[in-house]
């Protein structure tokens, strides 16, 4: 049974720093992996989707990598800004029906 | 472009009352549709998903039900709400390998 773990659970850094959020999963036979952000009281916003055949995806200051063999994905945020403060969640899908298995999230606070 | 609408945004209902939450998607056809619940301080729990009209898969046995009467409409219902049904309900859709897109959610408080 797939398990997804996100470390750390919370992170607070000064503005401008580059940072890495980690996501690990126990079953490497994933269909894809997605990173989301959730602002307090809001829905989730998809950030990056990495298919099982891909190694990384980039969008603006965000870069997500995928290493299936080690069961890891990282989300790299460059030049962090206070507006990046949110909870970041990763989720894996084992098939095309997208029954996602979720991590518990990393709550990120960027201090001005 | 595709959009997803979910309503109402907030809802306060007494224990034992019925529930109906609606979700519609625009700008696509034959999407996969999902209902999730997020309890306070907890992760996302998949409740139902649907790959087509009238096709509903339930992930968690409970007093909730879902229906898909039209291709882009997904409804979450209950005949009698419990206190434990309180939470943040999120509808989502995907199609053809696209990322999962979420609605803005419904905050349900059962009193």
């Amino acid at each position: 049974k797939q398990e997804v773990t996100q470390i750390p659970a919370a992170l607070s850094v000064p503005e401008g720093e580059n940072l890495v959020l980690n996501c690990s999963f126990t079953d490497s036979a994933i269909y894809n992996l997605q990173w989301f952000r959730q602002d307090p009281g809001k829905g989730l916003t998809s950030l990056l989707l990495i298919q099982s055949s891909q190694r990384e995806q980039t969008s603006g200051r965000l870069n997500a990598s995928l290493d299936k063999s080690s069961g890891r994905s990282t989300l790299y945020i460059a030049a962090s800004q206070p507006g990046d403060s949110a909870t970041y969640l990763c989720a894996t899908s084992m098939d095309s029906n997208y029954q996602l298995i979720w991590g518990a999230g990393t709550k990120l606070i960027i201090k001005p | 472009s595709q959009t997803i609408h979910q309503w109402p945004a907030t809802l306060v209902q007494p224990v034992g009352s019925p529930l109906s939450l609606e979700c519609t998607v625009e700008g696509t056809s034959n999407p996969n549709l999902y209902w999730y619940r997020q309890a306070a301080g907890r992760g996302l729990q998949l409740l139902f998903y649907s790959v087509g009209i009238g096709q509903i898969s339930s992930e968690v046995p409970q007093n909730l039900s879902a229906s898909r009467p039209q291709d882009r409409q997904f409804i979450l219902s209950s005949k009698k709400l419990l206190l434990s049904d309180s939470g943040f309900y999120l509808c989502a859709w995907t199609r053809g390998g696209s990322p999962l897109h979420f609605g803005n959610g419904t905050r349900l408080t059962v009193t």
Side-chain angles (χ1 to χ4, degrees):
Chain A
K1 180 183 176 183
Q2 179 75 289
E3 293 182 0
V4 179
T5 304
Q6 291 187 248
I7 295 174
L11 182 63
S12 180
V13 300
E15 179 179 5
E17 283 197 7
N18 303 324
L19 56 96
V20 173
L21 306 181
N22 297 295
C23 173
S24 61
F25 46 93
T26 56
D27 188 341
S28 62
I30 62 172
Y31 182 76
N32 61 35
L33 183 145
Q34 297 183 65
W35 284 93
F36 299 85
R37 70 172 278 170
Q38 185 176 27
D39 295 284
K42 303 292 185 182
L44 280 74
T45 301
S46 176
L47 297 175
L48 291 164
L49 166 67
I50 310 178
Q51 302 292 350
S52 62
S53 59
Q54 297 174 326
R55 294 299 301 269
E56 66 176 352
Q57 284 286 328
T58 298
S59 176
R61 295 182 293 108
L62 305 179
N63 176 279
S65 67
L66 175 64
D67 184 345
K68 286 200 309 178
S69 62
S70 65
R72 292 185 178 184
S73 176
T74 61
L75 179 66
Y76 175 83
I77 303 177
S80 58
Q81 304 170 358
D84 295 329
S85 298
T87 296
Y88 290 79
L89 298 117
C90 73
T92 65
S93 174
M94 308 306 289
D95 56 44
S96 59
N97 284 331
Y98 274 52
Q99 297 180 62
L100 296 180
I101 297 99
W102 295 84
T106 295
K107 184 175 182 180
L108 176 64
I109 297 174
I110 307 299
K111 297 175 288 186
Chain B
S1 63
Q2 301 90 0
T3 55
I4 179 169
H5 302 280
Q6 191 180 339
W7 66 92
T10 59
L11 191 59
V12 180
Q13 292 283 98
V15 168
S17 63
L19 173 74
S20 181
L21 302 181
E22 189 164 343
C23 171
T24 60
V25 179
E26 296 178 357
T28 188
S29 60
N30 196 30
N32 286 1
L33 296 170
Y34 307 82
W35 278 110
Y36 282 90
R37 178 171 61 198
Q38 188 175 38
R42 301 180 66 179
L44 282 154
Q45 179 185 38
L46 177 63
L47 302 175
F48 302 95
Y49 72 95
S50 171
V51 299
I53 296 174
Q55 300 178 61
I56 308 295
S57 295
S58 173
E59 291 297 303
V60 183
Q62 56 203 337
N63 68 319
L64 299 173
S65 63
S67 62
R68 185 170 177 174
Q70 300 180 41
D71 181 46
R72 291 170 291 174
Q73 184 185 30
F74 206 23
I75 298 172
L76 181 69
S77 303
S78 174
K79 293 182 179 179
K80 289 184 178 182
L81 283 169
L82 307 172
L83 285 174
S84 58
D85 292 324
S86 293
F88 191 45
Y89 289 82
L90 291 155
C91 180
W93 74 272
T94 187
R95 186 178 186 277
S98 73
L100 192 62
H101 298 281
F102 283 83
N104 288 328
T106 295
R107 177 83 51 197
L108 172 65
T109 302
V110 182
T111 60

